[in-house]
Amino acid sequence: MSSKVKKNILKLKESSTLAINEKSKELIKSGKKIYRFGFGQSPFQIPEKVVDTLKLNAHKKEYLPIQGLPELREKISNHLFKNTGVRYSKENILITPGSKEAMLLMHVTFNGEILTPAPSWVSYEPQAQIGSNKVHWLETSRENNWFPTAIELEKKLKKIGKNKNIIFILNSPNNPSGAICKNLKELAQVAKKYKLIILSDEIYTDLSFDNRYKSISEFYPKATFISGGLSKWCGAGGWRLGFLAVPNESKQFMNSLKSLASESYSTVNTPTQFAAVEAYKGDYEQYKLKVRSILNSVGNYVYNNLKSNKVIINPPQGAFYLMPEFKNKKFKTSSKLCEVILNETGVAMLPGSDFGFKPDKMLTRLSYTDFDGTQFFKNVKDYKTISDEMVRKYAPNVVEGTTKLSNWAKNL
Ligand code: PMP
Ligand code: GLU
């Protein structure tokens, strides 16, 4: 008898980000000292007023419209307009249980092929597999800040061939590299020439350390889809509140997404949508400035104390990740490297191979969020002057884990 599970689903495994989170927790429970640099979760408290709004709306039990609360869609439309200069109308915004679901629905809907840079977030490829869409990887280099150049993009597109529907995924600030894309305009020009659809994953864009929200939609609004949500800038990953903004020209796509939403999750839970209105309506600029500044300081601490002739890293620019490369000939794969590091130092990281790199590239993803963000946040009086002293005081696990890792690398 043939397998009862579809071939493309059978290939999937548990997402490595969630798996490392669970593994780290188990190890901690068993009494081991673990530095949780594997999972990417905001350590900060959700702004109080947003939490209060959730409480105030907890009794609301009616289903909201499939597409989401109109007021929330309007606020997200304004948020995008303010930051990108592009008006995605509220009719073209879909509220989803996390932006991950928004992207999954896009893959299920889309008829074509996916082009994504290496490195890219762990879930893009499996999601494309679920949608039965072929994936093409576009290799990038450290010299080019881990983003493709316009020439590289065009070369790859020529190789893929003509007359294909293609979604190009771009995520800046980037998970896993922590880098910000500086050539959006040039990439958009190529995308336009080849009539690509762009999926701009902007879940970290509010966490750009240069305090500038940059979106490729600015240069190619006609075909740029934007995904985002509350998980990163607002510290509300577990609330599962995301959105997808669809270009005004893509009505057919939008209608199909809505049908899929209605046949799967129906609509996102009501109280969270009301709380999200507050998150997108209120003025959280000071909160964001402080969050960014703390992350930037912690990221820089790790960068400064880890880089050596054995460990190469680019400085942090946004989100909460770094991507160190370990110079060694001992290990054959980055997953073996991560396994040994975890066993010998207690530092949990993810291997570069989970992000589209060849297994023999000794890259890892390091998430520098293993600290009590509430305490750190409370004790920062002036966000412009966060010293290493403060990092040592309020992010001791990050500091200790960095020392362990750095000492370990000396013996490579
Ligand atoms: N994109 C990237 C690059 C991510 O790291 C994450 C992590 N959660 C997501 C999308 C999905 O975020 P969420 O579903 O919580 O909105
Ligand atoms: N985005 C986070 C990460 O890359 C975890 C959450 C998730 O994968 O859904 O670690």
Side-chain angles (χ1 to χ4, degrees):
M1 241 207 299
S2 61
S3 161
K4 293 192 179 64
V5 179
K6 288 196 182 92
K7 252 198 202 148
N8 60 331
I9 305 296
L10 210 52
K11 271 198 252 165
L12 301 174
K13 51 185 178 66
E14 231 173 63
S15 183
S16 59
T17 52
L18 299 161
I20 191 76
N21 188 32
E22 283 170 28
K23 186 171 178 189
S24 300
K25 279 188 190 163
E26 271 166 32
L27 287 168
I28 291 169
K29 227 171 161 183
S30 74
K32 291 220 164 69
K33 175 74 189 165
I34 297 297
Y35 305 92
R36 294 175 60 188
F37 296 179
F39 190 54
Q41 176 166 255
S42 164
F44 299 101
Q45 210 166 25
I46 300 166
E48 219 171 289
K49 196 154 174 219
V50 178
V51 177
D52 288 345
T53 312
L54 182 72
K55 287 182 192 160
L56 278 174
N57 287 283
H59 66 285
K60 294 207 172 125
K61 67 187 183 65
E62 254 92 56
Y63 281 59
L64 289 175
I66 301 160
Q67 211 177 327
L69 187 64
E71 196 187 349
L72 174 57
R73 288 187 275 122
E74 190 185 319
K75 297 296 176 267
I76 292 173
S77 168
N78 294 344
H79 161 81
L80 291 177
F81 182 66
K82 186 178 128 218
N83 286 301
T84 68
V86 182
R87 176 60 76 184
Y88 288 86
S89 73
K90 73 172 191 297
E91 287 71 32
N92 276 28
I93 289 171
L94 177 70
I95 307 300
T96 54
S99 63
K100 197 178 201 171
E101 181 71 18
M103 288 186 266
L104 177 70
L105 295 189
M106 248 191 107
H107 285 289
V108 173
T109 309
F110 181 61
N111 175 28
E113 300 182 2
I114 309 297
L115 176 59
T116 190
S120 273
W121 182 45
V122 291
S123 288
Y124 301 147
E125 186 178 43
Q127 288 196 339
Q129 272 172 18
I130 296 171
S132 300
N133 297 325
K134 185 173 174 181
V135 176
H136 302 272
W137 287 94
L138 173 49
E139 268 197 46
T140 65
S141 62
R142 177 188 315 286
E143 296 71 49
N144 292 324
N145 204 24
W146 300 115
F147 284 101
T149 64
I151 293 171
E152 286 166 343
L153 176 60
E154 182 150 22
K155 208 165 137 197
K156 186 76 186 184
L157 288 167
K158 280 189 178 146
K159 222 164 150 189
I160 293 173
K162 279 190 191 145
N163 300 327
K164 284 188 176 158
N165 294 331
I166 293 175
I167 290 181
F168 174 49
I169 307 182
L170 193 77
N171 168 227
S172 172
N174 184 265
N175 176 4
S177 70
I180 287 181
C181 186
K182 298 287 188 316
N183 56 340
L184 294 174
K185 191 174 176 185
E186 292 76 11
L187 292 175
Q189 277 162 352
V190 178
K192 226 185 262 179
K193 183 169 161 192
Y194 287 81
K195 298 194 171 56
L196 306 185
I197 288 178
I198 294 182
L199 169 54
S200 182
D201 176 351
E202 299 182 10
I203 195 76
Y204 296 103
T205 312
D206 270 304
L207 297 181
S208 303
F209 299 156
D210 59 5
N211 296 325
R212 287 162 57 203
Y213 192 110
K214 284 300 230 179
S215 165
I216 194 161
S217 63
E218 205 183 305
F219 308 106
Y220 189 29
K222 244 174 81 168
T224 302
F225 289 62
I226 299 178
S227 59
L230 294 186
S231 295
K232 311 299 175 182
W233 75 263
C234 193
W239 281 17
R240 311 307 302 129
L241 192 292
F243 70 81
L244 185 71
V246 176
N248 297 331
E249 285 79 359
S250 305
K251 280 268 174 283
Q252 191 189 34
F253 216 111
M254 186 68 208
N255 289 337
S256 298
L257 290 169
K258 253 162 71 179
S259 303
L260 271 179
S262 75
E263 298 295 8
S264 49
Y265 60 84
S266 303
T267 175
V268 172
N269 80 78
T270 305
T272 306
Q273 292 202 49
F274 279 97
V277 171
E278 170 55 34
Y280 282 106
K281 169 178 91 178
D283 180 6
Y284 293 102
E285 228 16 75
Q286 285 305 312
Y287 170 89
K288 287 184 198 172
L289 280 168
K290 216 158 149 178
V291 160
R292 287 196 286 253
S293 180
I294 294 172
L295 288 173
N296 194 9
S297 309
V298 177
N300 267 309
Y301 181 93
V302 179
Y303 165 72
N304 287 322
N305 288 280
L306 196 54
K307 71 174 182 324
S308 69
N309 57 351
K310 299 285 173 62
V311 188
I312 320 164
I313 335 178
N314 282 6
Q317 297 177 335
F320 28 66
Y321 307 107
L322 288 169
M323 204 167 64
E325 182 164 4
F326 293 80
K327 279 201 194 162
N328 92 103
K329 295 197 170 59
K330 246 193 251 173
F331 306 104
K332 294 236 155 25
T333 64
S334 53
S335 61
K336 185 71 198 167
L337 171 78
C338 283
E339 192 187 314
V340 173
I341 291 177
L342 179 59
N343 286 339
E344 294 185 1
T345 67
V347 174
M349 292 186 292
L350 284 175
S353 53
D354 283 345
F355 299 86
F357 285 115
K358 300 222 163 62
D360 63 353
K361 273 206 143 223
M362 290 301 125
L363 286 156
T364 67
R365 186 192 80 171
L366 187 162
S367 170
Y368 47 86
T369 51
D370 188 5
F371 63 92
D372 181 344
T374 307
Q375 275 309 314
F376 206 148
F377 191 94
K378 234 193 250 165
N379 285 286
V380 169
K381 298 290 171 253
D382 175 6
Y383 70 84
K384 288 190 190 116
T385 56
I386 300 177
S387 59
D388 274 6
E389 190 70 4
M390 289 192 76
V391 174
R392 275 190 280 271
K393 186 160 176 197
Y394 297 110
N397 258 7
V398 175
V399 168
E400 208 175 296
T402 303
T403 308
K404 292 244 161 150
L405 195 54
S406 152
N407 288 339
W408 182 88
K410 282 182 190 145
N411 299 319
L412 278 172

